[in-house]
Amino acid sequence: MSVLFSEYINFIALYIKSKDAMVFNGLIGLGTVVGQTAYNTLAFDCPCSPKKNYLYGLAAIGVPALAFFVIGVMLNQNTWDVVSECRTRKCQKLSVTAAFALLGSTVGRAVVAPITWSVISLLRGVAYVCAFSEFVDPSSLDNFSSNTLGPEIMARFPCKDVPAPFMNYSGEVERQLKYESQLLGWLLVGIISLSVFLLLCLKNCFSTLGYHQEAYWSQYRSSEQALFKRTAEVHAKYNAAENVKNFFGFVALENQEKELLANCKGIKSVIPRLEWNRITGVYMYREKDDTPLYSRLNKWAMYINENDC
């Protein structure tokens, strides 16, 4: 029984690892839903005043979404790769293909939280009711007797703070505005879903790689990134230990670190700039034979297509 349970846990772990981007985006969306619900429950407080409702309601929907988008862009490493590339080489060697790939990767992850916040806000309808209550046409309500004080009275409906003669219209106004809000929310969901589907279709249609080649290339990038991160950590630790030893005459290492660094004798203390460019650059560099790396990758894909069983 314990063996089966262990195998089941390993299977789940491998599945999550293979779908790390999907799981990450799902966690972001779930956290955004929890935060939005907590905000509406604990902090949202409509001012119920003309000209203030509109600003407050739209700010409650748009400002957190904008903040989430900016934070998502800031936390994406691709953003700083592009900034570094443009700063050092004025984006002269940044190809259009690489630019679109980086833009899609950066924006794709950054918009998960903003879209989730906006959709949940619209489906709940609380902020929308607050923002647009003062714009409800009194003539659309049966037997609504006040026309001169319409906006002032309408703006107070979200707080249920209206004169007694108009209290009966509270439910009707709220239903009308929630209908509009949820309709916009579902339209936003549909538009985004269709857009994602079309983008995926375009990506696969214009890709030079087949399905199995894309899967292999994805596994290669993931493995290279993990190996590069671990190797860079050991390399940096080795150089730091050598510098500290030269300064103090000794270095205090743990047994595990001594065994790890003992295998690093003879490694490069300084990596040539060309090799750094080949590995860490955001564009495709030319090799010694002056053949673009992207072109050689296309040739490799064509060779596999021709010899694919």
Side-chain angles (χ1 to χ4, degrees), residues 66-80 106 110:
L66 177 61
F68 283 137
F69 178 76
V70 174
I71 293 173
V73 172
M74 291 173 56
L75 295 180
N76 196 312
Q77 184 60 39
N78 290 337
T79 303
W80 308 115
T106 303

Side-chain angles (χ1 to χ4, degrees), residues 114-237:
I115 290 176
T116 304
W117 180 278
S118 300
V119 169
I120 297 301
S121 297
L122 290 174
L123 292 181
R124 290 179 62 89
V126 178
Y128 188 92
V129 170
C130 176
F132 291 94
S133 59
E134 62 182 285
F135 299 105
V136 175
D137 185 9
S139 61
S140 63
L141 305 176
D142 295 334
N143 300 322
F144 194 85
S145 58
S146 176
N147 291 323
T148 58
L149 299 178
E152 286 75 8
I153 295 178
M154 292 298 176
R156 297 166 62 180
F157 273 107
C159 300
K160 305 293 190 296
D161 182 22
V162 293
F166 306 102
M167 185 62 68
N168 295 332
Y169 298 98
S170 178
E172 185 176 353
V173 171
E174 185 175 357
R175 282 193 301 270
Q176 179 178 339
L177 292 175
K178 281 192 174 183
Y179 156 76
E180 297 175 0
S181 178
Q182 293 179 1
L183 180 62
L184 290 175
W186 288 120
L187 286 176
L188 181 60
V189 171
I191 292 173
I192 292 171
S193 301
L194 182 61
S195 300
V196 171
F197 173 73
L198 293 177
L199 289 175
L200 290 176
C201 290
L202 290 175
K203 174 188 173 183
N204 288 281
C205 287
F206 289 99
S207 177
T208 58
L209 303 178
Y211 172 77
H212 294 291
Q213 296 159 9
E214 283 281 2
Y216 174 82
W217 189 240
S218 177
Q219 289 291 337
Y220 173 82
R221 291 199 307 267
S222 178
S223 300
E224 183 186 48
Q225 184 178 8
L227 290 173
F228 182 85
K229 183 177 180 180
R230 292 201 301 267
T231 306
E233 182 180 357
V234 175
H235 188 277
K237 185 174 293 186

Side-chain angles (χ1 to χ4, degrees), residues 238 264-268:
Y238 176 82
C264 298
K265 298 297 183 182
I267 67 173
K268 298 177 181 178

Side-chain angles (χ1 to χ4, degrees), residues 228-289:
F228 182 85
K229 183 177 180 180
R230 292 201 301 267
T231 306
E233 182 180 357
V234 175
H235 188 277
K237 185 174 293 186
Y238 176 82
N239 282 329
E242 290 294 320
N243 290 332
V244 172
K245 184 177 181 179
N246 291 334
F247 185 79
F248 289 105
F250 75 100
V251 58
L253 295 174
E254 298 180 357
N255 294 331
Q256 184 178 2
E257 293 175 333
K258 291 179 180 179
E259 296 176 359
L260 180 64
L261 298 182
N263 299 324
C264 298
K265 298 297 183 182
I267 67 173
K268 298 177 181 178
S269 58
V270 177
I271 301 177
R273 182 176 182 83
L274 180 60
E275 295 187 16
W276 268 113
N277 289 344
R278 289 173 181 169
I279 296 176
T280 61
V282 298
Y283 52 83
M284 300 301 182
Y285 291 86
R286 295 182 179 273
E287 302 293 338
K288 293 182 179 179
D289 59 355

